[in-house]
Amino acid sequence: MLKLTGFIIGSIIGSFLGVCIHRIPRGESPVAPRSHCPKCGAQLGAAELIPIIGYVFIWGRCRHCRERVSVLYPILEVGCGLLSARVLGAEGFTLSAVNSLILISLAVVAAGIDFQHRIIPDIVTLPWMAVGLVIAAFSGGIQGVFSRALGIVGCGGLVFLIAIISRGGMGGGDVKFMALIGSFLGVPGGLTSFVIACVIGAIVGVILIVSGIKSRKDEIPFGPFISLGTIMVCVFGERLIPMVFPWLRF
Ligand SMILES: [Zn+2]
């Protein structure tokens, strides 16, 4: 029952995140006006706004101009539904689950925008660090806030150094994104996310270059890999963090 509720909540969140990914880089508000067809401007009816079902209902096309609706929307809705079912199913409606769901949502938006536009807008990162600290205050008091503040400085600082040394490999958006992750996961969780991102990023990079899809000079956005690592830590953190940092005890 908790899992089903989690799936429904997650798919609704996923539907909203799809709108955020589309609108934020265009400078539009994600909440108003109501969702509409980007081609003909027709507003979506009530049934079409339902996650997943809405897409099936219109057979993936705008009812007015027959323009194709990206299949990424229902995939995102299903994906977020599954993640949310997993998190809420394992933890219930706890502060820790809320912490995970907010960070997963931000990671999804950052990945989507970075993949399409090669930027991670500040609105997705900076203000949310305060939210991470507030949640820490409720769950762990002063000590919680301190360990997350350390996460902001430690994770952001590490990527800042890498950005300077690599000169262009990583940008300011990645630095702020990692600082954000530190504010939600602290140093161990944040660094574990980053290590996973580097490993998967390197593997995917090699595959893309060897298969000839990308050349060595092409820049591959790193944000989506950071997001992937973060989501994995949010879902499997208890097992992943000790695997990456076996000497850490906390
Ligand atoms: Zn249309």
Side-chain angles (χ1 to χ4, degrees):
M1 199 56 209
L2 203 54
K3 283 193 175 177
L4 181 67
T5 314
F7 183 84
I8 293 169
I9 293 173
S11 64
I12 294 169
I13 295 174
S15 173
F16 175 67
L17 300 182
V19 175
C20 290
I21 292 170
H22 181 81
R23 291 190 184 179
I24 289 174
R26 292 169 175 80
E28 300 167 8
S29 159
V31 279
R34 204 159 120 187
S35 289
H36 51 85
C37 167
K39 195 176 172 206
C40 74
Q43 278 200 347
L44 266 61
E48 296 160 66
L49 286 172
I50 304 169
I52 307 162
I53 298 167
Y55 185 85
V56 177
F57 186 68
I58 56 169
W59 293 108
R61 283 181 184 275
C62 170
R63 279 196 305 178
H64 298 272
C65 67
R66 312 300 300 157
E67 172 81 349
R68 255 187 194 292
V69 181
S70 170
V71 74
L72 289 175
Y73 286 102
I75 291 176
L76 190 60
E77 289 159 4
V78 172
C80 290
L82 292 175
L83 285 171
S84 161
R86 162 85 205 189
V87 169
L88 289 177
E91 305 186 43
F93 287 94
T94 59
L95 207 52
S96 155
V98 171
N99 191 69
S100 294
L101 290 182
I102 293 176
L103 182 58
I104 289 173
S105 301
L106 293 168
V108 165
V109 174
I113 296 176
D114 195 22
F115 186 75
Q116 293 178 338
H117 304 276
R118 303 287 166 89
I119 49 157
I120 300 175
D122 286 348
I123 190 82
V124 182
T125 54
L126 295 182
W128 296 93
M129 290 181 206
V131 175
L133 292 177
V134 169
I135 295 175
F138 279 107
S139 62
I142 296 287
Q143 212 185 346
V145 173
F146 180 75
S147 77
R148 303 260 191 120
L150 207 64
I152 295 178
V153 178
C155 298
L158 172 75
V159 178
F160 179 68
L161 284 179
I162 294 175
I164 290 174
I165 296 166
S166 68
R167 272 187 288 175
M170 278 177 216
D174 295 318
V175 173
K176 286 174 251 179
F177 189 25
M178 272 311 301
L180 167 81
I181 294 162
S183 79
F184 275 81
L185 297 179
V187 170
L191 289 187
T192 303
S193 307
F194 188 69
V195 170
I196 295 170
C198 292
V199 172
I200 298 178
I203 295 170
V204 171
V206 167
I207 292 173
L208 287 176
I209 290 167
V210 169
S211 63
I213 296 170
K214 296 259 181 192
S215 81
R216 288 191 73 126
K217 281 178 187 160
D218 286 327
E219 268 184 39
I220 301 166
F222 194 61
F225 295 108
I226 301 180
S227 292
L228 189 60
T230 303
I231 291 169
M232 286 174 70
V233 169
C234 285
V235 177
F236 305 111
E238 269 100 77
R239 267 171 283 163
L240 281 174
I241 297 173
M243 274 166 71
V244 177
F245 295 106
W247 63 88
L248 264 183
R249 291 274 173 270
F250 56 94

